[in-house]
Amino acid sequence: MLPLLLLALSDVPGPDPVAEALARIDSLSGYRLTLRSQGSGGEEIIHYSYRRPGDVRMDMESPYRGAVLIYRHDTGKVQLWPFGSPGRRPALSLRPTNRMVRSSQGHRVDQSDVGTLLRNVQRLQLHGSTRRLEPATHEGRPVQHVVVEAEPGRAVHEVARYDLWLDEETLFPLRVASYDRQGQRMESVLLENVQLDPDFPADHFDP
């Protein structure tokens, strides 16, 4: 049984799936999705929007239902409406490093996009292995299951392994799991209702 397992986890020749996925994402003007994250801080559900070159909007569903965060790359600031109604109520203006606008896992709004995630995965690749497991499905869609694991003692932001489930057609991540040096899962993220290059309302990032 062990030889078969090692065969399934062996390095696969050909194009690097992480580099290919990043190239696809870098070609997009933007995307929107529903993000479901589970980690030590509990579950977070966020309606997430990204517009190149770096504008982010998060409409919170859980745990702070109704709160809205908008990060603008041109100002470098996060506008926070704790009780919703952006454009009707005044916003708090905060730095991305402020604890009020960081996730339970410590993620910053200005570093929350999928491109940043994949660049962190690439950093792990420099001192580790990249493996493609057997073809799989996720929510009925064909996906590539890719595992990137660091050499012993190595990590990026405390992450020593990433599991990625990439949509077979678009290569956009539909699920991501991260693990620490001890093999304990740190976070599991589902990316649902993905829309690529959507038409955002004119005031979506500037209400």
Side-chain angles (χ1 to χ4, degrees):
M1 186 69 179
L2 182 59
L4 292 177
L5 177 62
L6 292 177
L7 178 61
L9 296 177
S10 63
D11 288 334
V12 178
D16 175 7
V18 178
E20 285 195 316
L22 182 57
R24 293 276 191 96
I25 289 168
D26 281 346
S27 71
L28 300 173
S29 62
Y31 51 84
R32 67 192 311 171
L33 52 87
T34 300
L35 184 151
R36 296 178 182 269
S37 170
Q38 290 187 334
S40 58
E43 183 180 50
E44 296 178 350
I45 303 175
I46 303 169
H47 300 291
Y48 184 96
S49 303
Y50 176 83
R51 181 179 66 184
R52 192 166 305 284
D55 297 330
V56 173
R57 174 167 173 156
M58 297 184 181
D59 292 78
M60 309 296 294
E61 186 169 324
S62 175
Y64 306 110
R65 185 175 181 85
V68 178
L69 293 80
I70 296 179
Y71 170 76
R72 288 289 300 265
H73 78 281
D74 53 353
T75 66
K77 294 293 184 66
V78 179
Q79 302 296 111
L80 169 63
W81 291 266
F83 307 105
S85 300
R88 298 180 184 176
R89 295 177 176 174
L92 300 175
S93 182
L94 305 168
R95 295 181 181 275
T97 53
N98 192 295
R99 292 179 59 185
M100 288 183 63
V101 290
R102 297 184 75 156
S103 75
S104 61
Q105 298 293 316
H107 301 312
R108 291 170 45 167
V109 179
D110 59 331
Q111 299 174 358
S112 62
D113 61 286
V114 175
T116 296
L117 164 68
L118 293 179
R119 289 181 177 88
N120 286 334
V121 176
Q122 287 186 322
R123 290 173 60 191
L124 208 62
Q125 285 182 301
L126 295 176
H127 302 285
S129 62
T130 302
R131 307 186 297 267
R132 184 183 295 144
L133 276 64
E134 293 292 328
T137 60
H138 173 72
E139 301 292 335
R141 296 183 65 87
V143 293
Q144 297 183 32
H145 184 182
V146 178
V147 177
V148 176
E149 190 165 12
E151 299 169 352
R154 298 274 189 173
V156 174
H157 301 307
E158 304 303 320
V159 178
R161 168 176 166 166
Y162 282 105
D163 277 49
L164 304 168
W165 287 262
L166 307 175
D167 183 276
E168 182 66 45
E169 180 180 354
T170 66
L171 297 183
F172 198 95
L174 300 181
R175 180 182 172 192
V176 181
S178 58
Y179 299 83
D180 63 17
R181 292 180 178 89
Q182 288 72 46
Q184 298 296 314
R185 190 175 69 182
M186 299 172 62
E187 186 178 20
S188 180
V189 179
L190 298 177
L191 298 96
E192 304 172 335
N193 307 317
V194 177
Q195 301 176 41
L196 305 181
D197 288 331
D199 292 324
F200 292 115
D203 61 351
H204 193 63
F205 297 95
D206 188 19

